[in-house]
Amino acid sequence: MATVKVDKNSFKADVLDASGPVVVDFWAEWCGPCKMIGPSLEEISTEMGGKVKITKLNIDENPEIAAQFGVRSIPTLMIFKDGEVADMKVGALPKTALSHWISGNVT
């Protein structure tokens, strides 16, 4: 399963109303660390199959959602469960750390 692009029109349906856990990667095109973790998130999304949905939200295109969740620096990753933020990480992490963090919040 590849990562899913979300925006202000799909955020509620894809993230807040999702039946399972959802990771949201708050990112921007100009952000170097965001680009570094992108491939890792794609791989984790495929490896974890249907256990978690991994989404990407461009903060330049959706500033109101970034502001709603207090995103001040990117990349910021949030795990949502039942429409609520369950955990958050700020900054680029290696794939193993990302995978461990996501796995620990999904099971």
Side-chain angles (χ1 to χ4, degrees), residues 37-105:
I37 67 169
S40 295
L41 291 172
E42 289 287 342
E43 290 173 18
I44 293 167
S45 180
T46 301
E47 291 165 6
M48 295 194 74
K51 293 180 185 169
V52 63
K53 182 193 312 187
I54 299 181
T55 65
K56 298 176 74 62
L57 181 116
N58 186 318
I59 65 161
D60 288 337
E61 297 170 359
N62 304 279
E64 60 284 326
I65 295 176
Q68 179 183 347
F69 290 98
V71 175
R72 289 183 168 30
S73 62
I74 53 172
T76 292
L77 296 147
M78 294 184 188
I79 295 182
F80 287 78
K81 292 180 182 175
D82 300 319
E84 301 288 328
V85 177
D87 202 2
M88 179 176 81
K89 287 275 186 200
V90 178
L93 298 168
K95 180 185 173 192
T96 52
L98 286 170
S99 184
H100 185 263
W101 175 69
I102 292 169
S103 295
N105 279 285

